Amino acid sequence: MDWTTLDHPPQLMPLYWRAALKRRITGSHLPEQGFRCRVSVNPEQVAAYRHVCGFADSPMLPATYPQVLAFGLQLKLLTAPSFPFPLLGLVHLRNRIRVYRPLGAVSELTIAVHAYHLKPHAKGATFELVTTAEDALGLLWEAQSRMLCRGVKLDGAAADDALPTPTQVSELTRWKAPADIGRRYARVSGDYNPIHLSALTARLFGFPQAIAHGLWNKARTLAALDEHLPAANIEIEVEFKKPVRLPSEGTLHASVAGPSGQLWLKGSGEIEHMVGRWQPIG
């Protein structure tokens, strides 16, 4: 892996312009390239993120928050000239977070991102976007996001490794996803993907309404599961199903509190939005 260490987090606006200009697939191999950078944790920004995602006040960072700290590096990687796929149009299929140690007393982290494991999919090809966060003691947290690029043709058969349908779950809570949640989430995450911002911008990409960000759905779910989950040595994996059209209401079903369990986010008419599980890190 060819690592580039940045002196400061990237500026997002030039990367957005780069993303808007690249609309074609330019290859079928992932670059051996990664970016890393030291980042500071701003308590005011964390508080704003908590408010938007429904987390209660706590000395611990939300388990999803390091992904916000990594967003600029992820954007830099996915818009790099050597990256073969256009950022606009990538579909986030799956996300797994691992929390190795409690996320308390965190003021600075070294964030690193890279992509690997390109493989065929029924609708194109997928790859894994890997993000890690280290403190002075070493690896603290990591995430792996499976991304789909439609239209890529690779040799080989597509694997079917979907997460199982949850069993032994019951309704835990409900919440509303308001029409403006995409814009509110963008302000605290930096992710201004047009499909999340308004019906007008979503229609440009084939969606009749704006849809909630998948990572907001996961964050809102983990906020609701706060008392259910261990603070560390935990892996939380979700698979995104049907998008959450805005505005709408979601119903979370979950196992009882414990070191492992399953979750299921549904919408009206029993629409499956997200399935997932948590378990100790293997």
Side-chain angles (χ1 to χ4, degrees):
M1 185 67 61
D2 181 15
W3 288 99
T4 299
T5 301
L6 306 180
D7 294 331
H8 51 78
Q11 295 293 315
L12 296 183
M13 190 55 68
L15 300 178
Y16 276 124
W17 278 114
R18 190 185 293 176
L21 292 173
K22 181 169 183 175
R23 307 305 290 267
R24 295 187 303 109
I25 296 168
T26 57
S28 57
H29 297 279
L30 295 175
E32 291 286 323
Q33 182 179 25
F35 293 97
R36 55 191 171 201
C37 183
R38 191 82 172 159
V39 300
S40 298
V41 177
N42 183 315
E44 292 183 358
Q45 293 173 354
V46 176
Y49 177 85
R50 287 185 190 282
H51 179 68
V52 169
C53 299
F55 288 99
D57 289 340
S58 168
M60 302 287 182
L61 283 183
T64 47
Y65 191 71
Q67 295 184 122
V68 172
L69 298 175
F71 179 67
L73 286 178
Q74 294 172 344
L75 202 61
K76 188 170 182 66
L77 176 70
L78 297 176
T79 60
S82 59
F83 205 82
F85 310 135
L87 175 61
L88 292 177
L90 290 181
V91 181
H92 194 174
L93 298 180
R94 201 154 165 168
N95 178 268
R96 184 188 71 200
I97 289 172
R98 287 175 171 168
V99 181
Y100 290 93
R101 289 177 282 115
L103 299 178
V106 178
S107 59
E108 283 195 331
L109 292 169
T110 297
I111 303 289
V113 302
H114 72 280
Y116 86 116
H117 201 199
L118 186 65
K119 63 180 183 179
H121 184 273
K123 296 181 180 180
T126 62
F127 64 91
E128 306 293 329
L129 178 63
V130 180
T131 306
T132 61
E134 297 185 1
D135 62 6
L137 298 177
L139 183 62
L140 178 65
W141 173 100
E142 70 176 338
Q144 190 164 310
S145 293
R146 182 169 301 170
M147 311 299 293
L148 167 67
C149 182
R150 295 187 177 97
V152 180
K153 308 224 179 288
L154 297 177
D155 294 332
D160 183 9
D161 60 347
L163 291 180
T165 299
T167 58
Q168 303 298 313
V169 295
S170 58
E171 182 177 331
L172 180 67
T173 188
R174 299 182 178 213
W175 61 75
K176 294 189 182 299
D180 67 343
I181 196 61
R183 297 188 294 277
R184 291 171 57 200
Y185 184 77
R187 287 193 287 271
V188 298
S189 70
D191 188 345
Y192 284 86
N193 188 324
I195 65 175
H196 305 307
L197 301 181
S198 70
L200 179 63
T201 55
R203 287 191 197 107
L204 299 175
F205 295 88
F207 292 92
Q209 299 163 257
I211 63 173
H213 198 296
L215 291 179
W216 180 82
N217 293 330
K218 185 171 184 178
R220 185 66 187 84
T221 295
L222 296 192
L225 288 171
D226 185 48
E227 299 298 323
H228 272 57
L229 307 180
N233 187 34
I234 184 173
E235 173 181 295
I236 310 156
E237 185 170 21
V238 300
E239 185 175 334
F240 302 113
K241 299 286 193 178
K242 297 289 186 182
V244 175
R245 295 184 179 184
L246 301 175
S248 65
E249 182 178 75
T251 303
L252 177 63
H253 300 255
S255 306
V256 297
S260 61
Q262 296 179 307
L263 62 92
W264 202 354
L265 181 63
K266 295 183 180 182
S268 60
E270 293 294 294
I271 295 174
E272 276 191 320
H273 292 310
M274 189 173 72
V275 298
R277 62 190 176 195
W278 71 89
Q279 60 193 15
I281 297 171

